Amino acid sequence: MLKKILSISGKSGLFKLVSYGKNMIIVEGLSDGKRLPAYSHEKIISLGDIAMYTYNEEVSLSSVMQTIYDKNEGKAIDAKQYVDKKTLFAFFEEILPEFDQERVYPNDIKKVISWYNLLVGAGFTSFKEEESDSETEDEAK
């Protein structure tokens, strides 16, 4: 589900992939629904490709988002209560207890909270990655 949700540096908010063009993609803002081009020279990253560092392994952002969603019963998070490093880390320890505190920065946690609020505001209720048909067929063999 998060594979088609994009973050574009220099542009605020999150975007949904709509179409491909020559040297660009067409994206739609999750918050305002406006469509605009994103060019190949811009730094574009899919939320499905992001993972959070832990002491043992990397945990996908979709798993982290699903845990936040389940813990908050699908409600948005009041970001104003998490302003300093101590409160941010305490919040994130509840979500991902084994996260690496040396490689996950407070700004990373603020960004996760912001993205979560944008996704919930856009109507997302599940963050689990859906298996593609080819993966399902491979497992059946």
Side-chain angles (χ1 to χ4, degrees):
M1 173 164 290
L2 293 181
K3 281 282 186 199
K4 292 190 176 190
I5 304 299
L6 309 171
S7 172
I8 303 172
S9 66
K11 297 181 181 179
S12 63
L14 293 175
F15 302 88
K16 179 178 158 185
L17 176 64
V18 176
S19 180
Y20 295 95
K22 186 175 182 178
N23 293 329
M24 69 173 177
I25 57 174
I26 306 298
V27 296
E28 181 178 288
L30 283 184
S31 57
D32 59 7
K34 291 183 181 178
R35 290 188 177 192
L36 55 120
Y39 296 95
S40 59
H41 67 274
E42 296 177 290
K43 185 177 178 185
I44 302 169
I45 189 160
S46 166
L47 296 191
D49 295 336
I50 297 175
M52 301 301 291
Y53 292 115
T54 67
Y55 293 114
N56 300 321
E57 61 186 354
E58 293 182 358
V59 176
S60 70
L61 184 63
S62 60
S63 297
V64 173
M65 292 284 194
Q66 189 64 49
T67 304
I68 294 171
Y69 185 84
D70 294 341
K71 190 163 193 67
N72 289 302
E73 299 172 351
K75 297 176 187 160
I77 299 171
D78 181 16
K80 293 177 184 176
Q81 65 184 1
Y82 303 109
V83 292
D84 63 350
K85 181 178 178 178
K86 186 177 179 180
T87 56
L88 284 167
F89 278 19
F91 164 75
F92 215 61
E93 278 181 344
E94 293 176 18
I95 304 304
L96 189 63
E98 66 277 0
F99 83 97
D100 189 339
Q101 294 186 11
E102 293 179 9
R103 297 195 299 174
V104 176
Y105 300 105
N107 283 343
D108 298 333
I109 299 171
K110 286 180 184 179
K111 193 173 287 190
V112 168
I113 292 171
S114 171
W115 287 346
Y116 170 80
N117 286 338
L118 285 170
L119 291 168
V120 168
F124 281 75
T125 58
S126 175
F127 299 94
K128 299 269 186 194
E129 292 299 323
E130 298 171 2
E131 291 185 20
S132 67
D133 293 338
S134 62
E135 288 176 8
T136 309
E137 290 173 8
D138 291 341
E139 290 175 2
K141 290 182 182 178

